[in-house]
Amino acid sequence: MHDLAGADPALRFSPYCWRTRFALAHKGLPVETIPWRMTDKAAIGFSGQGRVPVIRDGATVVSDSWAIAEYLEQTYPTPALFGSAAAQAHARFINAWADSAMLGGFGRMILHDIFTIIDAGDRDYFRQSREARFGMTLEAMREGRETRVEAFRESLLPLRMVLSHQPWLGGAAPSYADCIIAGTLMWPRCSSRFAVLADDDPIAAWFERMLDLYDGLGRKAKRP
Amino acid sequence: MHDLAGADPALRFSPYCWRTRFALAHKGLPVETIPWRMTDKAAIGFSGQGRVPVIRDGATVVSDSWAIAEYLEQTYPTPALFGSAAAQAHARFINAWADSAMLGGFGRMILHDIFTIIDAGDRDYFRQSREARFGMTLEAMREGRETRVEAFRESLLPLRMVLSHQPWLGGAAPSYADCIIAGTLMWPRCSSRFAVLADDDPIAAWFERMLDLYDGLGRKAKRP
């Protein structure tokens, strides 16, 4: 699996790659990760596109974290990531919400921190593409994040509501929904020291449990 | 089933009651609805709480739209609303998102319209409780809604993303996730003439299909 890395190749912080890492661990599948940098499009040219995660499983190449989850479920049905067509369809909503509401909210808080940990060769590309997307400089994005984080935390209310009723987003046991949200939270965890969650947030308590799963996969990940 | 009604008893606009109406129709279960007003707590005292929907099925009384969906799934398994434990767990997130993001967003746009259609006996209670919750008058909530609706429409992006991949929120066929979101959209539809969705929004196209389901249950509902 090609996995986004910082200047320090041990720093792995892509939220999409983490969704895949958790999904592979959930299936009990071993994986060799290959550190990859944003501008190294040639290294994943074999996948026919330019983004990670990309997995190679024997002769099969799959890119895009959602497509990889579908591939894993079909190829290695147990333990289930979804377990039913409706569970998969519903998880797609959680995936879309994480992509739009969570990643969008995190972005303005941590993109400058990410800039400081990525490889020198990635910096121009990163600054230009992110500043174009948000319409402001990386420095401007960071400004006032201590204040803005409160509204962001409030926007995570649906997660809090669900976790007040069940221990995992998947219900009695973790599912790919847990991989999605935990993977998304690995983005700030492994790229920044800014606290995106309050310590007493029930989401933080659930995330701590996720960090312990799969032999502590998430907890062992290097932080900046 | 006790169902929230306006001054005109044919006006039924509760988003929670509509989730239950769609769920009952999905199961093919006939229902007799009893118009209910917000201040008529005595009429549903038998349920041990003061909100609708409340259903009575033989000797069983169930309140709360989510609890009713669980009850229906357990008591009348087919056709399935969830179909698996994980599908149900994931749908709970969609339910929580609809409650927080959608109902919160609609509220400020339509609560004044609702005030104009409810029974005279409900008005004092409605104004006081809603103005306390939002910290402003019903008239102030409505102000600028033509501008604010744009940001609200953008906040529905996760729905749009999902519907670009699959015809129903439940996947190839509707599930309780479709009942949740369609029920939520029945709130503005049956209480207001304010257009909460743009005509060319893919969410509107999906909602039109939902209105046609179950022998046109949603489409036949009276509008103000």
Side-chain angles (χ1 to χ4, degrees), chain A residues 81-94 96-97 99-100 157-159 161-162 165-166 168-171 175-177, chain B residues 81-94 96-97 99-100 157-159 161-162 165-166 168-171 175-177:
Chain A
L81 281 171
F82 302 110
S84 77
Q88 185 166 324
H90 295 172
R92 203 189 257 283
F93 181 86
I94 299 173
W97 179 80
D99 287 354
S100 55
L157 178 60
L159 286 177
M161 291 165 78
V162 170
H165 288 288
Q166 55 198 47
W168 305 100
L169 300 176
S175 72
Y176 190 60
Chain B
L81 281 171
F82 302 111
S84 76
Q88 185 166 324
H90 296 172
R92 203 189 259 280
F93 180 85
I94 299 173
W97 179 80
D99 286 354
S100 54
L157 178 60
L159 286 177
M161 291 165 78
V162 170
H165 289 287
Q166 57 199 45
W168 305 100
L169 300 175
S175 72
Y176 190 60

Side-chain angles (χ1 to χ4, degrees), chain B residues 105 108-109 140-155 194-196:
Chain B
R108 280 193 58 192
M109 292 189 273
M141 285 180 214
R142 187 184 48 181
E143 241 169 73
R145 64 180 179 176
E146 292 76 11
T147 313
R148 279 184 285 109
V149 73
E150 293 300 333
F152 174 74
R153 289 171 179 170
E154 272 178 43
S155 77
F194 184 66
V196 293

Side-chain angles (χ1 to χ4, degrees), chain A residues 176-192:
Chain A
Y176 190 60
D178 295 274
C179 300
I180 292 167
I181 303 298
T184 306
L185 285 166
M186 290 300 279
W187 191 35
R189 179 177 172 87
C190 296
S191 67
S192 172

Side-chain angles (χ1 to χ4, degrees), chain A residues 49 82 111 114 129 138-139:
Chain A
Q49 53 85 61
F82 302 110
L111 283 177
I114 294 176
S129 58
L138 294 174
E139 289 73 14

Side-chain angles (χ1 to χ4, degrees), chain A residues 71-211:
Chain A
Y71 167 79
L72 293 176
E73 186 76 348
Q74 191 162 23
T75 314
Y76 309 97
T78 52
L81 281 171
F82 302 110
S84 77
Q88 185 166 324
H90 295 172
R92 203 189 257 283
F93 181 86
I94 299 173
N95 202 60
W97 179 80
D99 287 354
S100 55
M102 288 185 78
L103 294 183
F106 283 152
R108 281 192 58 191
M109 292 189 275
I110 65 167
L111 283 177
H112 189 274
D113 291 345
I114 294 176
F115 180 75
T116 66
I117 62 164
I118 58 178
D119 195 65
D122 280 353
R123 290 196 179 167
D124 286 350
Y125 161 78
F126 184 82
R127 180 181 281 279
Q128 281 162 26
S129 58
R130 270 56 177 182
E131 292 187 347
R133 189 182 306 164
F134 283 80
M136 65 180 85
T137 65
L138 294 174
E139 289 73 14
M141 285 180 215
R142 187 185 47 182
E143 241 169 73
R145 66 181 177 176
E146 292 77 10
T147 313
R148 279 185 286 110
V149 73
E150 293 300 334
F152 175 75
R153 288 171 180 171
E154 272 180 43
S155 78
L156 303 181
L157 178 60
L159 286 177
R160 228 164 270 131
M161 291 165 78
V162 170
L163 292 170
S164 74
H165 288 288
Q166 55 198 47
W168 305 100
L169 300 176
S175 72
Y176 190 60
D178 295 274
C179 300
I180 292 167
I181 303 298
T184 306
L185 285 166
M186 290 300 279
W187 191 35
R189 179 177 172 87
C190 296
S191 67
S192 172
R193 284 279 164 183
F194 183 67
V196 293
L197 296 177
D199 287 343
D200 61 352
D201 190 329
I203 302 169
W206 160 85
F207 187 45
E208 291 294 318
R209 299 201 307 277
M210 278 301 294
L211 292 173

